[in-house]
């Protein structure tokens, strides 16, 4: 999938500063994929011809890879959290690289040698030699250099301990030259890890779903309930990234016959009113909140999974929602409702909200642990997450209420991913892609 084609402007020479275990230029380990794509769009003069690689049928099986073909860089993202975990510079001759204020690689110049690396980055432990690939790897914390060993000198390293020291020079006086550099999280370049989030990082915080009542954002200890006003929502989540007014509701025809809106009429448009329901878009939270046009209260919440196999990819961050149910789930009755509590119970059990968002905001990891612990003590278990497939949803909730609604966005050119299907349960609707993964979870109340 091409994210961008060569722009018509003249391309400027990109320059990147290397920080081991942290970043290469503006590519910072741990950044969400949506943030990296926004950075690429903002730097189209220097970074062009970008491809996105992922698995169509199982987008969670392999890392997402953004390939900067002109620059010889591959950005690898953890598929579940969609965070950057490794920056793989596969061709060091295409870009300018610097460390500690010193340029050590640039187009038109010789690639950095083992001597150059040793002098600039300092001593390190003996590296690893792969005799099958004839590749020697020199490791620093969060940084690895790869040196191909010429065939005529492979015998000098073959048969020796895999952990050994590469000679500064070969017998003919030449020195090994690096062809690849990796900056990564964790201690092993072969198994890079996503860096731990910072204390005030709320990306991928757990969003706990209470069907028919609302949602809890566990990291920031905030809640959104059906019936909340615009002021209530902004007090909890802040000013939205965007406000979108609905022009036409194509799903209204599927509503129950004779149903009424909050104003007692069939809809805000059917009676000739010019009022329009509207969304608060919180892109970095991965959710939308729909308000009733008459009373300006919450009527729907939409949680997004941000899979690259959906037309809305990169509009939202991935929402790390949890649908909880009694026990371990499975074998639910038709249209069952997991984790159902009343609004009064929800408000009573909710932790007091912080008065100052800067007072010890919990990390996403801590929020996940706290949510799991709370669920455990309540005899509940998470049954549905953004990584669950449709088969797992049915196993947990039972059969949906009626047949699915099929939604197609334009033709194959505008939307190559195909139609999605909407399956309804009481107070919940799941949008499912053709690969069986959840595209979005729509929460509403039937009261």
């Amino acid at each position: 999938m091409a994210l961008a084609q060569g722009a018509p402007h003249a391309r400027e020479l990109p320059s990147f500063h290397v920080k081991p275990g942290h970043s290469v230029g503006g590519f910072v380990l741990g950044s969400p994929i949506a943030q990296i794509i926004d950075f690429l769009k903002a730097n189209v003069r220097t970074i062009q011809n970008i491809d996105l690689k992922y698995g169509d049928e199982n987008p969670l099986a392999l890392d997402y890879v953004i390939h900067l073909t002109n620059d010889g860089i591959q950005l690898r993202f953890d598929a579940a959290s969609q965070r950057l975990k490794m920056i793989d510079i596969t061709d060091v001759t295409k870009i300018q690289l610097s460390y500690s204020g010193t340029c050590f690689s640039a187009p038109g110049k010789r690639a950095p040698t083992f001597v150059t690396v040793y002098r600039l980055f300092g001593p390190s432990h003996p590296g690893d030699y792969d005799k099958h690939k004839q590749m020697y790897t020199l490791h620093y914390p969060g940084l690895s250099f790869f040196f191909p060993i010429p065939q005529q000198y492979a015998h000098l390293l073959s048969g020796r301990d895999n952990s050994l020291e590469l000679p500064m020079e070969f017998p003919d006086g030449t020195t090994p030259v690096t062809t690849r550099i990796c900056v990564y999280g964790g201690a092993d370049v072969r198994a890079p890890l996503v860096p731990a989030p910072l204390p005030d990082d709320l990306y991928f915080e757990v969003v706990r779903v209470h069907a028919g009542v609302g949602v809890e954002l566990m990291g920031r200890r905030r809640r959104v309930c059906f019936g909340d006003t615009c002021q209530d929502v902004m007090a909890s989540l802040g000013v939205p990234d965007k406000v979108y007014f609905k022009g036409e509701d194509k799903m209204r025809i599927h509503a129950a016959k004779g149903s009424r809106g909050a104003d007692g009429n069939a809809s805000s448009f059917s009676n000739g009113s010019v009022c329009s329901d509207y969304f608060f878009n919180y892109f970095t939270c991965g959710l939308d909140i729909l308000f009733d046009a008459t009373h300006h209260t919450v009527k729907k919440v939409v949680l997004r999974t941000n899979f690259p196999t959906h037309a809305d990819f990169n509009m939202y961050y991935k929402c790390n929602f949890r649908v909880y149910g009694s026990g371990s789930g499975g074998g639910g009755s038709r249209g069952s409702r997991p984790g159902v509590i009343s609004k009064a119970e929800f408000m009573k059990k909710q932790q007091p909200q912080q008065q100052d968002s800067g007072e010890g905001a919990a990390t996403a990891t801590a929020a996940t642990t706290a949510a799991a612990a709370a669920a455990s003590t309540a005899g509940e278990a998470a049954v549905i997450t953004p990584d669950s497939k449709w088969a797992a949803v049915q196993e947990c909730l039972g059969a949906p209420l009626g047949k699915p609604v099929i939604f197609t966005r334009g033709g194959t050119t505008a939307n190559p991913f195909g139609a999605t299907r909407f399956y309804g349960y009481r107070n919940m609707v799941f949008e499912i892609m053709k690969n069986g993964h959840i595209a979005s979870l729509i929460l509403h109340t039937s009261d």
Side-chain angles (χ1 to χ4, degrees):
M1 175 182 180
L3 292 180
Q5 296 296 327
H9 347 91
R11 183 173 183 262
E12 300 174 2
L13 177 66
S15 178
F16 301 94
H17 182 70
V18 176
K19 292 184 179 180
H22 181 266
S23 62
V24 174
F27 305 124
V28 181
L29 296 176
S31 299
I33 190 171
Q35 183 176 316
I36 294 296
I37 293 176
D38 288 342
F39 173 81
L40 293 172
K41 290 179 178 178
N43 290 273
V44 67
R45 287 187 176 274
T46 56
I47 304 174
Q48 301 170 9
N49 294 331
I50 305 164
D51 291 330
L52 173 65
K53 302 176 181 179
Y54 57 89
D56 287 328
E57 294 301 319
N58 191 354
L60 295 172
L62 301 172
D63 293 339
Y64 299 165
V65 178
I66 293 180
H67 186 197
L68 314 183
T69 56
N70 281 2
D71 304 304
I73 298 177
Q74 291 189 357
L75 307 174
R76 294 190 171 273
F77 297 81
D78 175 69
S81 67
Q82 299 187 354
R83 283 184 183 269
L84 181 62
K85 67 179 185 179
M86 185 166 77
I87 304 161
D88 190 350
I89 304 172
T90 58
D91 190 342
V92 299
T93 65
K94 289 185 174 182
I95 55 176
Q96 182 171 305
L97 297 171
S98 63
Y99 174 73
S100 232
T102 301
C103 176
F104 65 92
S105 180
K109 296 183 179 181
R110 187 183 183 188
T113 65
F114 183 79
V115 173
T116 302
V117 171
Y118 191 86
R119 288 175 177 172
L120 183 59
F121 291 87
S124 183
H125 299 288
D128 302 320
Y129 177 64
D130 186 333
K131 63 181 180 180
H132 300 291
K133 297 180 179 180
Q134 294 182 197
M135 186 71 69
Y136 181 89
T137 308
L138 181 65
H139 304 287
Y140 293 90
L143 176 68
S144 293
F145 293 88
F146 294 79
F147 299 89
I149 304 302
Q151 177 66 38
Q152 63 269 32
Y153 301 124
H155 67 279
L156 298 177
L157 299 174
S158 299
R160 299 173 62 182
D161 193 328
N162 285 337
S163 179
L164 44 81
E165 183 179 356
L166 183 66
M168 288 285 189
E169 292 183 348
F170 291 121
D172 63 356
T174 60
T175 180
V177 176
T178 185
T179 57
R180 179 186 174 199
I181 302 173
C182 291
V183 176
Y184 52 91
D188 189 347
V189 66
R190 295 165 296 186
L193 302 175
V194 177
L198 298 174
D200 59 348
D201 185 4
L202 293 174
Y203 173 76
F204 214 54
E205 66 179 314
V206 169
V207 177
R208 180 165 180 161
V209 172
H210 295 277
V213 178
V215 294
E216 293 177 86
L217 289 84
M218 306 300 289
R220 67 196 75 202
R221 290 188 282 178
R222 295 291 190 263
R223 60 176 176 265
V224 175
C225 300
F226 295 110
D228 280 355
T229 64
C230 300
Q231 292 81 2
D232 293 332
V233 172
M234 284 193 287
S236 292
L237 303 184
V239 178
D241 299 307
K242 183 179 179 181
V243 178
Y244 173 75
F245 289 86
K246 294 179 64 176
E248 180 183 2
D249 187 354
K250 294 181 174 62
M251 300 297 288
R252 183 180 293 130
I253 192 173
H254 298 284
K257 185 177 181 180
S259 62
R260 301 290 174 178
D263 56 1
N265 297 303
S267 73
S268 298
F269 290 98
S270 60
N271 63 356
S273 170
V274 296
C275 295
S276 171
D277 292 346
Y278 53 94
F279 285 98
F280 276 10
N281 304 125
Y282 290 94
F283 299 124
T284 56
C285 294
L287 58 85
D288 299 317
I289 300 173
L290 178 65
F291 290 90
D292 170 71
T294 303
H295 299 291
H296 305 285
T297 54
V298 176
K299 61 187 295 186
K300 287 183 182 179
V301 177
V302 185
L303 310 178
R304 311 282 185 168
T305 60
N306 195 44
F307 278 112
T309 51
H310 190 267
D312 288 339
F313 173 67
N314 197 49
M315 288 182 62
Y316 301 83
Y317 285 15
K318 184 176 183 178
C319 181
N320 190 19
F321 61 79
R322 296 287 188 273
V323 179
Y324 290 84
S326 301
S328 59
S333 60
R334 178 181 172 87
S336 60
R337 300 168 64 193
V340 176
I341 62 173
S342 69
K343 184 172 181 178
E345 291 173 322
F346 178 41
M347 300 295 285
K348 183 178 180 180
K349 72 182 284 295
Q350 174 66 28
Q351 300 178 19
Q353 297 192 22
Q354 299 173 354
Q355 296 302 315
D356 185 347
S357 59
E359 295 178 3
T363 66
T365 303
T368 303
T369 304
S376 176
T377 57
E380 298 179 343
V383 293
I384 299 170
T385 73
D387 295 340
S388 300
K389 298 194 71 172
W390 174 232
V393 173
Q394 294 180 89
E395 181 181 352
C396 296
L397 303 184
L401 300 171
K403 296 181 179 180
V405 174
I406 301 175
F407 181 57
T408 303
R409 305 185 184 204
T412 56
T413 302
N415 177 27
F417 308 108
T420 58
R421 287 170 167 76
F422 290 81
Y423 295 89
Y425 292 87
R426 187 178 181 189
N427 296 327
M428 295 190 295
V429 176
F430 290 88
E431 180 187 6
I432 306 298
M433 297 176 287
K434 65 179 182 180
N435 59 12
H437 281 279
I438 301 171
S440 66
L441 171 57
I442 305 169
L443 308 174
H444 61 92
T445 177
S446 56
D447 296 337

